[in-house]
Amino acid sequence: MADLLPVLIVGAGPVGLALAGDLAWRGVPSCIIERSDGTIEQPRMDMVGIRTMEHARRWGIVHDVEKSPYPRDYPQDNVYVTSLTGYKLGRERFKSMGGDTPPPQSPQKRERCPQDMFDPILRRWVERQGRTQLRFRCELLGFRDEGDRVVAQILDHTTGKHEDLHARFLVGCDGAASRVREQLGIAMNGLNVLTNTTNVIFRDPDLISRHDKGRAYRFICIGTEGTWATIVAINGGDRWRMSIVESPAGGMTHDEIGAAIRRAVGRDFPFEILSVMNWKRRELVADRYGIGNVFIAGDAAHVMSPTGGFGMNTGIGDAVDLSWKLEAMLAGWGGPLLAESYTLERRPIAERNVSEASANLRRMLSPGANPTLCDDTPEGAATRARVGAEFAAAMNHEWYTLGIHLGYRYDTSPIVIPDGTPAPPIEHATYTPRARPGSRAPHLYLRDGRSTLDLFGRHYTLLVLGDQGNGVADSLLTAARKRHMPLEIEPIDDSIVYKAYAATYVMVRPDGHVSWRGNAIENPLALIDCMRGATSNHTSTRTTQVDAVHESRPVDVQYHLPVI
Ligand SMILES: Cc1cc2nc3c(=O)[nH]c(=O)nc-3n(C[C@H](O)[C@H](O)[C@H](O)COP(=O)(O)OP(=O)(O)OC[C@H]3O[C@@H](n4cnc5c(N)ncnc54)[C@H](O)[C@@H]3O)c2cc1C
């Protein structure tokens, strides 16, 4: 019988690497097969979201991100222009990565770290942990699920040999055109083509000195016909990514691309075109995220417009949700509902994010045609003032998205036990921390300088935030041991944390989401069985011990200052 891999991951993009790294962090070996040689021809993502950075904190790679070659003093402004040398319509100022600080709701902040810097950080972290076999130039051709294992047919392009790999689980992190998804027969639903777009990476070390708008992360170019292009400082130095939002489906010629770059800058100048990528912007979500022993994650499960920077961050959220469940199923304490909960938890988040991303696209294209926009006349000036003000107001929706990144919740999950409190409103720009079951467990600094988030990750964690006299912690520990479910107890004597979490006992999952909270308990074994996916929350005891009136208001939390 062939060796059985615990997990076979298809695709070494950021999501496949994050999954392998998180599994390795949990002590679970895996193998990644990647069709390419690992070279990133054209970096796509460059915004690592705040929640992804919280995961990076747990993984111990925050400093690697902060030390990436992206200059820490490069301002992150968004500037709206008729061209770089033309009229300025507006500017939203953002600090540089080095000058910015985390919001009170998190110990981290979003970071600018383009894919050709971020993927290698993930890859080195995966390699450092020594539990993952990375096989580049290896392509998945097909697979069959035999019930107790998945047998994958692969082609090693280096040796030219075909091989069968046997794995307990297979995860397709193989991108938008996922072969894994296709073979599972899972359909994608949504809007197939929003735009045909051309992305061009060009090099000009002197671009900033060729215009008067100063250093900025992104320039959005609005012509008389409306928004037509963006130019992004992809490495904060000599490389720029121009996106021509609507381009011919068959692509553009070299001359057409050169003319577009000159138009966006507003003058002729020497530049070098490094790469061109024609792509279709889509809004699609897979019907389900797995069948049997095979799962999909990342772009394989959802494809969205980059407007907002949600794509990879959503995918890394998938990886973090799936990883501990795979570990639990491999270890034997995870029940069948864990696999099911993966789709039920992550699919609604993708639905929300793909539609947010498309709404951001519509906002970016909102100026429409304004024939007098570039006229050097009082009427032209009035048009520019109006368009600039309307555009700035609309675009702020894309720039401020804390609720999207931190506020996602697993309200309808079968492994989350509702506490009877009403669902708080969905937040977009703002984020109110709440420990309501299904939510991300809130961050607060503890007196020793750690974040509450630093307590979570390895196993289920029971926060004990008050008097332990009624034996709840002991009974849950006994029940967890009976089911071989690893559980850590964290007593915290801190009224601020108690107030934020709004219960004496709060159970936090290995991915940092609250699964239950209460002040007393009737049937600890039923609760543990639900959390480990053996029975659904519909059959286990529901405990509604939380003061609903208290919880229906935003929690007014005082924060301990971080210890520097
Ligand atoms: C212009 C642009 C800007 C973006 N900016 C952001 C941003 O700022 N923030 C953000 O979060 N997202 C952003 N995104 C989206 C982000 O790039 C994607 O969501 C992310 O790359 C998806 O990662 P993934 O690992 O799921 O898939 P991919 O990155 O597509 O990786 C899939 C991997 O699987 C491999 N593969 C495919 N088939 C096989 C096979 N049969 N066998 C073996 N290997 C296979 C591929 O070679 C590839 O390496 C942006 C996208 C674009 C287009």
Side-chain angles (χ1 to χ4, degrees), residues 410-434:
Y410 302 145
D411 285 350
T412 54
S413 169
I415 62 165
V416 165
I417 299 101
D419 65 4
T421 55
I426 303 290
E427 290 180 288
H428 176 99
T430 57
Y431 163 68
T432 308
R434 286 186 178 88

Side-chain angles (χ1 to χ4, degrees), residues 539-559:
T539 52
S540 62
T541 310
R542 291 178 184 226
T543 47
T544 309
Q545 305 288 348
V546 177
D547 177 354
V549 179
H550 170 199
E551 184 53 20
S552 62
R553 296 192 305 265
V555 182
D556 177 24
V557 176
Q558 300 162 33
Y559 295 95

Side-chain angles (χ1 to χ4, degrees), residues 12 34-43 115-116 119-120 123 136-137:
E34 165 57 51
R35 185 168 54 188
S36 76
D37 65 3
T39 309
I40 295 163
E41 295 291 338
Q42 188 173 116
Q115 191 166 6
D116 53 351
D119 283 13
R123 182 172 161 182
F136 288 94
R137 291 179 47 74

